Amino acid sequence: RQTEDGCLVCPGFTEGAKRCSGRFDSRAVARHCDRAVFEVYWAYRSRLAEERLALEMEEALAARASAEARRDEVAKRRLEIAELMTLKCPRCSQAFQDFAGCFALFCSRASCKAGFCGWCLQDCGADAHWHICHACPIARAKNPANPCWGTEQQFQAAHQERRRELLRRVLEVLEPKVRQD
């Protein structure tokens, strides 16, 4: 019989019992056996130490890999949130930031020129005026008298509300550890 680290124990040793608790370290074993037996004992004990060390290293590597995966997930989610917070063309994803008063917006990218709603960012084809006046619930709720026109403050308030809702949805499904980081 031996302990976890390979030390030999007294044959009368029993865990938790009030019997002999004697343990024989390597020096005691070397003194009481011939060289060939000690070499077998030492090889066995070395193998146990190597296995224990390998297990500890595997556990440490797994912990580092897990932490790295969590950092990658956090970075990925932060990028996803940054993308959601950016105002952009619904067709080609060209970012924009200027607002001139009319909620019927057009993409500035020459290859796109999409018309889209400045309230809800819906792609409306070539022109967003009809959508804004007749189909956009946000436009009718925020500026019922003249949904096509508005102030910079109305534009910013509508998108702040949109961003808040998008962020709430993203955070709602994140794991608590990722959300915390």
Side-chain angles (χ1 to χ4, degrees):
R1 295 180 33 142
Q2 79 262 343
T3 61
E4 285 183 13
D5 64 354
C7 285
L8 297 177
V9 295
C10 176
F13 175 79
T14 304
E15 283 295 329
K18 297 214 181 225
R19 297 180 72 184
C20 181
S21 61
R23 297 171 191 263
F24 302 99
D25 65 10
S26 296
R27 279 186 259 146
V29 173
R31 279 194 311 266
H32 294 77
C33 65
D34 63 34
R35 183 180 182 109
V37 172
F38 181 76
E39 286 177 359
V40 169
Y41 161 78
W42 190 252
Y44 176 74
R45 186 145 184 214
S46 296
R47 186 172 52 89
L48 283 178
E50 288 172 4
E51 288 173 359
R52 187 175 58 250
L53 184 59
L55 182 62
E56 289 172 4
M57 290 174 68
E58 286 175 9
E59 289 171 353
L61 182 60
R64 282 194 304 267
S66 176
E68 185 66 30
R70 193 169 80 235
R71 279 192 299 273
D72 288 349
E73 181 68 16
V74 168
K76 178 181 165 188
R77 296 302 180 182
R78 283 183 179 159
L79 181 60
E80 182 181 307
I81 290 168
E83 283 292 315
L84 287 173
M85 299 296 112
T86 302
L87 291 173
K88 53 190 168 196
C89 170
R91 189 178 300 168
C92 73
S93 297
Q94 171 70 35
F96 71 93
Q97 63 182 12
D98 52 339
F99 176 74
C102 179
F103 277 88
L105 302 177
F106 295 93
C107 181
S108 62
R109 184 174 278 167
S111 61
C112 181
K113 294 294 184 193
F116 57 97
C117 178
W119 292 103
C120 67
L121 301 180
Q122 179 176 322
D123 187 342
C124 299
D127 187 11
H129 287 92
W130 188 91
H131 166 80
I132 293 168
C133 291
H134 303 288
C136 181
I138 298 171
R140 290 191 312 238
K142 300 288 184 186
N143 196 6
N146 190 0
C148 279
W149 291 91
T151 66
E152 175 77 19
Q153 291 79 19
Q154 288 174 312
F155 180 79
Q156 294 301 332
H159 290 290
Q160 182 177 10
E161 193 173 310
R162 181 189 64 84
R163 288 176 179 127
R164 188 178 300 121
E165 178 60 23
L166 290 171
L167 184 59
R168 185 192 62 75
R169 287 182 198 162
V170 168
L171 293 176
E172 198 172 74
V173 298
L174 288 180
E175 293 180 28
K177 285 183 179 181
V178 174
R179 188 179 323 141
Q180 183 180 4
D181 289 344

